[in-house]
Amino acid sequence: MQSSIRYEFDGLLRIIDLTEQAITEEQQRQKETTESELAKFAPETEGYGFILGFFNRDLQQASEDVPRIFRYALLSAMISLTETSFVRLTRLVHSLGANLPPFNDRNGSVIERAACYLKEHARLRKRQIPSLDTLLELVAIRNCVIHNGGVIDSCNKKDEIGQYIDANPSSTVDEKGRIMLDSNFLRNHRHVLSYILMRYCDGLKSTSFP
């Protein structure tokens, strides 16, 4: 199980790196296009302000909207992968134990319920269980991104999300109240989520089932 999780999170890192490379290339391409097109017009040209606004809009899209949307999508994929990994761990425990109830992944927070299931039925000690605080903050951000377009004031747990964003150097809130993630946010948190799952896997190794 550990090797499978490690492989999937390594693959996620490769996707993050490729996406960030594509974002950088698109930003550079749009910058060069804007400079080239604007050079064709003198500032005193009639309608220059409209022309400038037109190309600046494209430049803003490449510098803000494209990275925001792609990083939102990757955050959602990262949380989904983590949820799936937790469910797989519960199913592994269910298959190894005698007369254990199956894990129900249909209602409520999958991660919190899976963690409770693993603690109870795999009898994990407290020292074997890593804190889920960061992971649950990321779940709240993911939910805000999916259901509210990343606008914090429209989200549940907006105060908690705001505090986490403020404390994290790789995330900010823009003038429209939207969560903005920089190029390091996903890389850093991918490592955190992978570490949490590896800790659970290590804990299961020391568990003996009847």
Side-chain angles (χ1 to χ4, degrees), residues 41-61:
F41 304 93
E44 61 271 15
T45 302
E46 183 179 357
Y48 183 79
F50 173 80
I51 296 170
L52 182 63
F54 176 82
F55 285 107
N56 280 343
R57 186 175 66 246
D58 288 347
L59 191 60
Q60 181 182 24
Q61 186 178 54

Side-chain angles (χ1 to χ4, degrees), residues 95-166:
S95 69
L96 295 174
N99 301 317
L100 292 182
F103 174 70
N104 178 9
D105 60 354
R106 299 293 182 182
N107 299 307
S109 170
V110 170
I111 290 171
E112 289 181 286
R113 289 186 298 105
C116 289
Y117 183 96
L118 294 171
K119 180 180 179 181
E120 178 181 358
H121 297 296
R123 301 188 299 280
L124 297 179
R125 298 182 181 89
K126 187 175 182 179
R127 63 179 176 79
Q128 296 174 306
I129 302 174
S131 170
L132 296 179
D133 290 350
T134 297
L135 174 51
L136 295 178
E137 291 286 2
L138 291 178
V139 171
I141 294 172
R142 186 276 308 267
N143 292 343
C144 180
V145 162
I146 289 178
H147 300 298
N148 303 97
V151 179
I152 287 187
D153 285 344
S154 301
C155 299
N156 293 330
K157 301 184 178 180
K158 64 179 181 180
D159 292 336
E160 293 92 331
I161 293 173
Q163 291 171 8
Y164 188 82
I165 294 296
D166 290 342

Side-chain angles (χ1 to χ4, degrees), residues 69-87:
I69 292 169
F70 273 96
R71 288 167 188 160
Y72 281 2
L74 286 172
L75 173 64
S76 297
M78 186 164 67
I79 298 301
S80 294
L81 176 59
T82 304
E83 290 172 334
T84 299
S85 298
F86 265 101
V87 171

Side-chain angles (χ1 to χ4, degrees), residues 176-190:
K176 296 179 181 178
R178 300 176 302 185
I179 297 169
M180 302 296 286
L181 312 176
D182 76 10
S183 59
N184 290 316
F185 186 91
L186 294 170
R187 294 188 182 103
N188 294 341
H189 286 86
R190 181 211 68 92

